[in-house]
Amino acid sequence: MTRTETYRCTVERDDEGRVIALNVYATDLEGGERAVRVNGYRALHVAAGLHEILRDARLRGQDWTSGQPLTVDPQLGAHAELLLRAVKPLQRLDRITTVATGVAAMSREEAAYWHAQVTRRNGLRALRLLLAESSRR
């Protein structure tokens, strides 16, 4: 039996069905838990990127809109967590969009690499700079 991290994603919506918050919950191999939440205008501009990442999980539209937690495999969960962590502190809409689009477009291997790097000092900053540079070209 192999142990892996577990990931759950939730999409919170208002009464009119608009996305108001995105959450990724992770449980690591030692049982430690971490959560990343993006809400407000950030959530609106990151939802498409998260949906793009999670489409490989073969989710039905009903799963995406139900508000129930979505359990995803570790590779997709790490990619989703990277997306939310990368945009969480950003304020400017153009930067949020650039970073979200760049992270969502990453291959699974590239996302896994950056997911490991963001735990290091300046890892998220390096990722954001790389994505900002590549969008200028």
Side-chain angles (χ1 to χ4, degrees):
M1 180 176 135
T2 60
R3 295 184 326 152
T4 60
E5 291 186 320
T6 58
Y7 289 89
R8 290 178 294 114
C9 302
T10 59
V11 179
E12 296 176 27
R13 297 176 181 275
D14 65 11
D15 293 337
E16 296 175 8
R18 290 183 296 243
V19 173
I20 57 172
L22 303 168
N23 301 285
V24 173
Y25 304 98
T27 304
D28 64 25
L29 298 177
E30 289 79 38
E33 296 184 359
R34 60 186 185 273
V36 182
R37 177 182 175 89
V38 172
N39 56 8
Y41 70 96
R42 285 181 199 87
L44 287 173
H45 296 283
V46 175
L50 182 61
H51 192 258
E52 179 70 20
I53 290 168
L54 297 180
R55 76 179 162 82
D56 286 343
R58 306 262 190 279
L59 300 173
R60 301 176 313 222
Q62 177 182 338
D63 295 333
W64 177 254
T65 59
S66 74
Q68 298 298 316
L70 307 167
T71 301
V72 295
D73 71 59
Q75 202 171 30
L76 293 176
H79 200 161
E81 182 181 26
L82 175 64
L83 173 67
L84 297 191
R85 289 185 72 186
V87 300
K88 185 173 176 67
L90 299 178
Q91 299 292 321
R92 289 184 19 208
L93 188 57
D94 61 325
R95 298 238 12 240
I96 292 167
T97 303
T98 298
V99 170
T101 302
V103 172
M106 287 180 178
S107 69
R108 300 296 174 236
E109 295 80 14
E110 187 178 12
Y113 169 81
W114 281 106
H115 185 262
Q117 293 301 312
V118 298
T119 60
R120 299 173 189 249
R121 184 174 179 198
N122 295 323
L124 278 174
R125 184 171 183 261
L127 172 62
R128 289 188 205 106
L129 288 172
L130 175 73
L131 293 173
E133 248 337 279
S134 65
S135 73
R136 291 182 187 149
R137 294 180 187 168

